[in-house]
Amino acid sequence: MKRRFDIQLTDNYIISASGLLLIGELLQSLTLHKRLHSLSMPGLTSSAAISHGDVVYSYLGLLSQGKNDFDWIEESRGDVF
């Protein structure tokens, strides 16, 4: 499903995570998650609880918010979004 975005300038307060929607749409269009999930690494099983794609998506989400350390992921633990 393609979405259309209307980007406008505003003086309203916008939360820092608002750009994640656009980042997510871009990543989905690249099918990056699927390609990362299909990777295999020596010594690792493919039935890992957290896929390579999930780890990369999480880190890209942090980077897009200006958080360059994976420790920041703890802020989002348990967050459905």
Side-chain angles (χ1 to χ4, degrees):
M1 175 175 78
K2 288 211 171 209
R3 293 186 182 133
R4 181 174 165 85
F5 295 98
D6 183 21
I7 301 174
Q8 301 176 1
L9 294 176
T10 181
D11 290 329
N12 294 337
Y13 178 75
I14 300 175
I15 61 169
S16 63
S18 60
L20 289 177
L21 179 65
L22 294 174
I23 299 287
E25 288 293 318
L26 174 64
L27 291 173
Q28 186 175 8
S29 71
L30 297 174
T31 64
L32 182 62
H33 193 276
K34 181 179 176 182
R35 290 188 286 165
L36 288 169
H37 186 66
S38 66
L39 290 177
S40 62
M41 298 179 75
L44 295 178
T45 62
S46 61
S47 62
I50 302 172
S51 71
H52 301 307
D54 289 339
V55 173
V56 171
Y57 270 38
S58 297
Y59 193 60
L60 289 173
L62 291 173
L63 288 175
S64 68
Q65 296 176 70
K67 300 174 181 178
N68 63 349
D69 192 329
F70 205 78
D71 287 338
W72 283 99
I73 201 70
E74 289 299 323
E75 270 188 6
S76 303
R77 187 175 297 279
D79 187 359
V80 176
F81 177 67

